[in-house]
Amino acid sequence: MEVKVTGYENEHFDADAKEAQEKRRSARRRLEEAANTPSMALQRQYEKGLDLTGTVSESERPGRGLKVCLIGTYPPRECGIGTFTRDLRHAICQVADDVQAFVIAMTNPPNNYKYPPEVVFEIRQNQLNDYRLAAEYINFSGADIVCVQHEFGIFGGPEGRYILELLKNLNKPVVTTLHTVLSEPLAGFRVSLIRVANASDRLVVLNSRAIPILKDVYGITEEKVSLIHHGVPDVPFVDPNYYKDKFGVEGRLVLLTFGLLSRNKGIEMMLDALPEIVSVHPEVVYIVLGATHPEVKRRDGEEYRLMLKRRVRELGLEDYVIFYDRYVDDDELREFLGACDIYITPYQSREQIVSGTLAYAVGMGKAVVSTPYLYAEELLANGRGKLVPFGDSKALARTINRLIENEAMRHQMRKRAYKFGRQMTWPEVGRAYVELFRQTVGEFQGRTSATLPLVRASLDVPEIKLDHLVRLTDDTGLIQHATYGIPDRRFGYSTDDAGRALVVTLMHHRNFEDPTALRLATTYLSFLQLAQRPDGRFHNFMNYARQFTDEVGSEDTLGRALWGVGMAVALGPTEGMRALAREMFERSLSALDLVHARAISYAICGLHAFLQRYDGAALVRRKLDELANRLASLYEEARADDWRWFGEELTYANAKLPQAMLLAYQATGEERFLQIGLESLDFLLEQTYSGGQFDFIGNQGWYRRGGERATFGQQPIEAGYTAEACATAYEITEKSYYLEMARAAVEWLLGRNRLGVRLYDLVTGACSDGLDPQGASLNQGAESVICCLLGLLAAARLREKKLEIAATAAVSSATPTALGAAIQSAKAESSD
C-alpha cells in the first residue's frame, strides 16, 4: 500500500488527549503499512521523531531555521564518505546559528556501530525495506531538506540503486553530492546515476571536470549542478619539522601516503621508485598511513598489505618504509600531514574524480606528486603539484628527487597549494552548502501543486524475503515439503529443489549481496555435489537419514540441476564456488542426451548461464545449439494455426519452454528460435490470461488439445516461470505488453487471481502450494517458495530494465530535455 505523507505544517496542535492518541495510532499504522513489519529496532528509531502524543515536538517543527537531514556513512564506520558527512554536518552547523542537522547512517551488517547522538536512524545497506522506512521517517521529521552523499558502493542493489527507493518516497527537496562521476561508465552505472540525478533537485560536484561529464555522458543540464570543493581543515602553514619528533622521524625527509588501503592506491608504484630515491637521498622515509579498507579486508583479508610488505623486503627497504596500520582521528592525521615534506598519491585509475586525502594535502600546503587522475589534474594545476604518468615509477623517482634537491621550488609549490586551499576550508564549504540549501528550499516551496511533476511509484515489488527458505533448509539441504508451513522431514530432500533454489539464492545475492543467500547457495551446491553420480547424472530423492532412495533421477532432474550449476558458474561470488560448479557442469555434458521438452528447456537455461561467463566455450555452445534445435523440432511437429505449442498438452512449468527458446536466441542469434519463443509465449499467455488476470492451467486434469482445461490446482510455479519468460521477452523486444504480463504474473501471487487471495506471505516470505477451490493451500513447500521468489526477482529486474532502456535511449539522443522526459515517462509507465 502506498503511503503518502505531506509533512507537518506550521500550526498549533491543540487537540485533546483522545485526538492526540488517534494521531499516534495513525502514525504507527502508516509506519507498519510502509514497512510491512519493521523490526523493533527500526520502529524505536522511528518513534524518536514523535513525542508522546504522536505529533512533532516544538523544537522539531519547520519554520525554526533550517533543518537538514544528511544521508551517508558516518563514523565510527571507517569510510572516507563517513568522514566527509561528519565534517559537513559540523561545518553547516557552525557557520549559521539557525541550522540543525541530523544524520541517517548507511550501515553494513553484521557490523554494529556505536553511533553518536546526531545519528537518529540507520539503513542496513542491503535491506530494501529500510530505505522505504527511512523516507517515512524523514517525511515526519520536520526536515527542510535532504542532502545525500552519493557513492555507488555504500548503497545496496545493483549499482547502488536501492537509494532510489528512498528518494522516490520523499516529499522533501534533495541535494545530492556526487563523490563518483565516471566518464566511461558501464550502462548500469550510467542509468543509476541518471535516476539519482532525476530524483534530486540539485547536484553538487567536488571537481569542475565532473560538470561537462555530467552534461555529455549523462545528459544532465549544467544549471542543475553546483561546484563546491571538498572541505579541508583550516590549519596554519607550518614547517614540517615541527611534528617529526612525534613520530620518531626527526632529521629525515618524510614522504607520505594516507587513506584506507586498497589496490587502487597504487602504493607498489611508489615502492618501486624508492630504491632510486634512497640511493641519492638516504635521509628519506616513506610512511604509509591507514588501515585496510574494511570492505577489502572482509573480501580479501590483508592480501594487499602483505604483498606490499613482501615487496619492501625484496627491495631491501625495511629502513625506509613505515606502515601505520590504523585508522587515525583528525588531530593525529593533521600531525602526520604536518610532518610530511612531500605527499604522494600514485592512484591507478584516471576516473578518480575526487580524493579526500589529496584535498587535505593541498589544503594544508603540502608539496604533492601524483598520477594524473581527474581530481589531481584539477587540484594540482598551475604549479600546485607535479604529475607523473600512471605506472611510471622511474618518472616518479626523478620528480621526487628534483623536489628534494630544490627546496625553493618545493616551498613555492606548498605556498600555491595552501593559498588555493583557503577556498576549500570547511567553514567556506559549510557556507556554500547552507546557501545552496536555502536556495533549494525556497525554490521547492515556491512551486505550486500544478507545477510539481507527477511522480507515481514504480512497479511495486514486495520485500523479497528468504525467511521461509531458511526455515526449510538445514545443513544437508532443502526439505521438500512443509505441512501448514512447518518443514515436514518425512519427505526428505530433492535435487529438483536444490537446483532451482541455487538459482534463486545466487540471483538474490547478486542483487542484494545478502550473506544469508550466499550461505544457502553454498548448502545447495554442496547437496548437488553429493547427488551427482560419476556419469554426470544426479540422484533426486534423499530421505531424512541422508540416504538416496533412487538409482538415478529423471531427465527433468538433470536439467534442473544443470540450470542451478550453470548459474553458479555465472554468478558464483567466489572462485571456489565457480570452480566446483564448472567441474560438475562439464561432467554432466556427456549425459545431456535429452528427449523431453521441459528437461531440454532447463538444460538450455543452464547452458545459457554458463556462456554468460565463458562465451568462448565451444562445446557448451554446440550442446546448446543441439538442444535448442531439438526443442524447436518438437514445437514444429505439434504446431497448428490454433495450437502453437511443443506437444499435445499444457501441463506444468509451461513458460520455461518458450523462455528456453528466447535464451537460445540470445546465445546464438538464430531468428528461428526467437520466432518460436515469442509465438509459443504469446499462445501460452492467450490461454492463461483473461479478464485482467492470470488463470493458470490447474493440475487437476491439465489441458489437453481439444479437451477441457482444469481450473483448480493452479500452482506458483506457473506464476514464477511466466514472470521470468515475460521478463526475457521484454529484454529482447522492449515491448511493454510483456512488462504488463510479467507484472500480472507476479500479482497473481499477491491476490490478482480468480479467488482474490494472496499466496505470498509478506511477513514470513512463504508461499502457498496452490490455488484450490477452497482458497490458498495451507501447505508451503520448497517448490512454491522457490518459484515465487523467481517471479519477484524477475519483476525487480524488469523494473530496472525498463528505466535503463528509457535512459539509454534518451542519452543516445544527447538532448537533456528528452532525457528527463524519458525518465519521467518510464517511471509513470511502470507504476500502475
Side-chain angles (χ1 to χ4, degrees):
M1 177 177 180
E2 182 178 345
V3 178
K4 183 177 181 181
V5 183
T6 58
Y8 290 99
E9 306 296 335
N10 288 327
E11 62 181 43
H12 295 288
F13 291 88
D14 56 359
D16 60 22
K18 183 177 181 180
E19 290 173 333
Q21 186 181 45
E22 182 56 33
K23 287 175 185 284
R24 187 172 188 229
R25 288 174 178 166
S26 177
R28 288 184 184 280
R29 282 196 298 271
R30 291 186 190 186
L31 170 64
E32 289 168 358
E33 290 168 355
N36 289 327
T37 50
S39 69
M40 289 304 296
L42 289 176
Q43 186 166 332
R44 285 194 295 271
Q45 291 183 59
Y46 177 84
E47 290 169 347
K48 289 180 182 179
L50 303 175
D51 67 15
L52 293 179
T53 67
T55 66
V56 174
S57 61
E58 182 67 27
S59 63
E60 300 287 316
R61 293 180 191 153
R64 300 175 59 89
L66 182 70
K67 188 172 183 181
V68 181
C69 171
L70 297 169
I71 300 176
T73 54
Y74 206 76
R77 181 173 176 180
E78 297 176 359
C79 172
I81 302 294
T83 302
F84 182 95
T85 308
R86 179 202 60 198
D87 292 342
L88 176 59
R89 177 188 175 273
H90 180 77
I92 63 177
C93 291
Q94 288 295 309
V95 299
D97 293 336
D98 65 341
V99 174
Q100 304 175 55
F102 65 91
V103 177
I104 306 287
M106 298 302 309
T107 191
N108 54 343
N111 297 302
N112 185 19
Y113 302 106
K114 294 181 179 180
Y115 288 112
E118 62 264 28
V119 175
V120 299
F121 199 98
E122 298 174 36
I123 297 175
R124 293 166 293 182
Q125 179 174 338
N126 295 308
Q127 294 296 318
L128 182 61
N129 205 47
D130 284 10
Y131 294 81
R132 298 169 181 150
L133 190 56
E136 177 82 2
Y137 180 93
I138 295 167
N139 287 334
F140 275 97
S141 69
D144 299 297
I145 192 164
V146 178
C147 182
V148 177
Q149 307 311 310
H150 184 269
E151 166 62 58
F152 296 105
I154 69 174
F155 304 117
E159 298 89 30
R161 296 189 187 187
Y162 281 9
I163 189 60
L164 291 160
E165 196 67 28
L166 186 154
L167 294 176
K168 77 178 185 182
N169 286 296
L170 284 178
N171 56 26
K172 308 288 183 181
V174 177
V175 172
T176 299
T177 302
L178 300 177
H179 292 264
T180 295
V181 178
L182 302 172
S183 61
E184 297 180 359
L186 296 174
F189 286 101
R190 181 177 60 176
V191 171
S192 182
L193 185 56
I194 289 169
R195 293 177 63 190
V196 168
N198 191 61
S200 304
D201 295 85
R202 297 296 295 268
L203 301 174
V204 173
V205 295
L206 297 87
N207 182 347
S208 65
R209 292 174 183 246
I211 297 175
I213 294 174
L214 289 173
K215 179 183 177 182
D216 298 337
V217 178
Y218 301 88
I220 298 168
T221 60
E222 295 183 36
E223 292 76 15
K224 192 170 188 173
V225 185
S226 299
L227 170 66
I228 304 178
H229 288 288
H230 192 298
V232 300
D234 190 3
V235 297
F237 189 70
V238 298
D239 185 336
N241 292 313
Y242 181 81
Y243 289 107
K244 289 184 179 179
D245 60 334
K246 188 175 182 68
F247 305 109
V249 291
E250 60 271 25
R252 304 191 70 173
L253 192 138
V254 177
L255 313 180
L256 174 69
T257 296
F258 86 88
L260 294 172
L261 218 58
S262 62
R263 287 191 178 275
N264 72 318
K265 298 293 185 185
I267 292 170
E268 57 269 38
M269 176 182 171
M270 180 60 204
L271 295 181
D272 289 342
L274 205 53
E276 185 174 338
I277 297 170
V278 300
S279 67
V280 182
H281 300 285
E283 73 277 15
V284 160
V285 61
Y286 178 43
I287 295 176
V288 181
L289 171 63
T292 299
H293 194 291
E295 293 304 310
V296 173
K297 190 171 183 178
R298 178 180 63 82
R299 184 178 65 247
D300 301 325
E302 292 287 4
E303 180 183 353
Y304 183 57
R305 185 183 297 276
L306 292 174
M307 183 275 289
L308 294 175
K309 289 184 174 181
R310 285 196 302 272
R311 189 65 176 150
V312 168
R313 291 194 300 271
E314 291 167 359
L315 295 171
L317 297 171
E318 291 93 334
D319 295 334
Y320 303 98
V321 180
I322 301 173
F323 288 94
Y324 282 92
D325 180 10
R326 52 197 175 89
Y327 190 80
V328 297
D329 61 28
D330 285 358
D331 291 339
E332 194 172 10
L333 175 57
R334 283 193 285 267
E335 291 173 348
F336 269 105
L337 277 168
C340 165
D341 292 286
I342 302 175
Y343 186 75
I344 318 293
T345 60
Y347 292 172
Q348 295 181 336
S349 172
R350 175 173 167 73
E351 290 275 13
Q352 187 97 17
I353 200 74
V354 65
S355 166
T357 60
L358 179 58
Y360 272 44
V362 169
M364 292 182 66
K366 298 288 107 178
V368 180
V369 180
S370 175
T371 49
Y373 54 92
L374 291 174
Y375 192 55
E377 285 183 332
E378 170 157 296
L379 225 57
L380 302 182
N382 301 319
R384 294 188 293 269
K386 293 288 186 181
L387 299 176
V388 297
F390 291 106
D392 192 339
S393 56
K394 292 188 178 298
L396 180 60
R398 289 194 301 270
T399 302
I400 292 174
N401 279 335
R402 281 199 299 270
L403 281 177
I404 294 173
E405 294 157 5
N406 193 333
E407 188 173 356
M409 179 174 66
R410 193 167 78 240
H411 189 68
Q412 284 298 316
M413 183 186 295
R414 291 187 60 211
K415 288 176 64 176
R416 294 188 193 101
Y418 187 78
K419 182 177 179 181
F420 183 83
R422 295 312 83 210
Q423 65 183 309
M424 299 168 59
T425 62
W426 276 116
E428 294 298 320
V429 169
R431 276 187 279 273
Y433 269 97
V434 169
E435 181 180 346
L436 180 62
F437 291 160
R438 294 193 196 281
Q439 177 185 346
T440 306
V441 170
E443 293 169 351
F444 185 83
Q445 292 175 344
R447 300 176 196 159
T448 65
S449 59
T451 60
L452 284 172
L454 175 64
V455 179
R456 295 184 288 173
S458 59
L459 172 60
D460 287 327
V461 180
E463 183 178 4
I464 302 175
K465 305 185 73 170
L466 299 180
D467 299 33
H468 192 62
L469 202 58
V470 171
R471 186 179 298 116
L472 293 176
T473 304
D474 59 19
D475 59 356
T476 298
L478 180 59
I479 295 170
Q480 290 187 74
H481 298 295
T483 303
Y484 307 121
I486 306 301
D488 194 334
R489 290 171 170 80
R490 295 174 300 172
F491 296 96
Y493 317 87
S494 80
T495 293
D496 287 339
D497 290 334
R500 289 177 293 187
L502 182 57
V503 173
V504 165
T505 49
L506 288 171
M507 290 171 61
H508 191 281
H509 184 266
R510 176 189 61 187
N511 290 351
F512 307 116
E513 297 182 1
D514 182 355
T516 299
L518 180 56
R519 177 175 60 81
L520 292 172
T522 302
T523 298
Y524 303 144
L525 183 60
S526 177
F527 181 90
L528 293 176
Q529 180 190 28
L530 180 63
Q532 190 172 36
R533 294 160 32 116
D535 64 0
R537 295 186 292 173
F538 292 82
H539 296 284
N540 191 13
F541 299 112
M542 174 188 279
N543 62 27
Y544 193 64
R546 295 185 178 178
Q547 300 165 334
F548 285 109
T549 59
D550 59 357
E551 182 62 28
V552 65
S554 67
E555 283 192 1
D556 279 12
T557 297
L558 175 57
R560 290 175 180 134
L562 196 75
W563 182 22
V565 174
M567 289 295 283
V569 172
L571 300 181
T574 66
E575 186 176 349
M577 177 176 283
R578 295 193 300 271
L580 174 60
R582 180 178 169 181
E583 287 181 8
M584 295 169 62
F585 189 95
E586 292 175 342
R587 188 180 302 129
S588 291
L589 285 179
S590 60
L592 288 183
D593 186 19
L594 306 174
V595 296
H596 294 101
R598 281 164 185 78
I600 292 172
S601 299
Y602 284 122
I604 288 173
C605 291
L607 294 161
H608 175 271
F610 190 99
L611 291 171
Q612 297 308 294
R613 180 168 287 275
Y614 298 112
D615 184 61
L619 177 60
V620 174
R621 187 171 294 279
R622 287 197 298 273
K623 180 60 70 172
L624 184 147
D625 188 68
E626 173 193 326
L627 291 179
N629 276 293
R630 192 173 300 173
L631 185 60
S633 296
L634 291 175
Y635 176 82
E636 290 163 348
E637 290 169 7
R639 186 194 182 283
D641 289 342
D642 62 345
W643 187 262
R644 302 184 300 280
W645 196 242
F646 298 84
E648 297 299 310
E649 282 187 309
L650 287 168
T651 55
Y652 71 100
N654 293 305
K656 190 56 63 180
L657 281 65
Q659 187 194 16
M661 286 279 86
L662 296 174
L663 294 177
Y665 164 72
Q666 286 183 327
T668 66
E670 175 59 58
E671 291 290 334
R672 174 187 175 215
F673 299 156
L674 175 62
Q675 180 181 349
I676 292 173
L678 293 178
E679 190 175 86
S680 59
L681 178 59
D682 289 346
F683 173 75
L684 178 63
L685 296 175
E686 290 169 10
Q687 302 305 311
T688 55
Y689 185 83
S690 63
Q693 64 190 27
F694 272 104
D695 207 22
F696 294 112
I697 308 298
N699 65 7
Q700 298 174 12
W702 305 119
Y703 177 31
R704 186 167 183 82
R705 183 176 182 176
E708 294 185 5
R709 51 168 293 169
T711 299
F712 284 109
Q714 297 182 30
Q715 298 176 296
I717 189 173
E718 303 308 320
Y721 282 7
T722 298
E724 275 203 302
C726 290
T728 302
Y730 176 72
E731 288 165 348
I732 293 172
T733 68
E734 300 179 13
K735 291 183 178 179
S736 59
Y737 167 70
Y738 295 115
L739 185 74
E740 174 55 35
M741 290 297 98
R743 184 203 320 270
V746 171
E747 290 176 352
W748 181 90
L749 298 161
L750 305 176
R752 187 178 168 186
N753 50 56
R754 74 161 39 226
L755 297 183
V757 298
R758 189 175 65 206
L759 285 82
Y760 178 60
D761 190 320
L762 299 172
V763 176
T764 67
C767 183
S768 297
D769 282 350
L771 194 66
D772 300 323
Q774 66 275 18
S777 170
L778 296 179
N779 296 328
Q780 300 169 326
E783 180 182 87
S784 300
V785 68
I786 291 166
C787 294
C788 178
L789 292 172
L790 280 171
L792 295 176
L793 288 165
R797 185 174 95 237
L798 266 181
R799 180 174 57 184
E800 301 302 327
K801 183 66 177 177
K802 172 70 174 174
L803 288 156
E804 180 179 328
I805 289 170
T808 301
V811 170
S812 298
S813 70
T815 59
T817 302
L819 172 63
I823 293 292
Q824 288 288 25
S825 174
K827 291 171 76 173
E829 286 184 29
S830 64
S831 68
D832 296 333

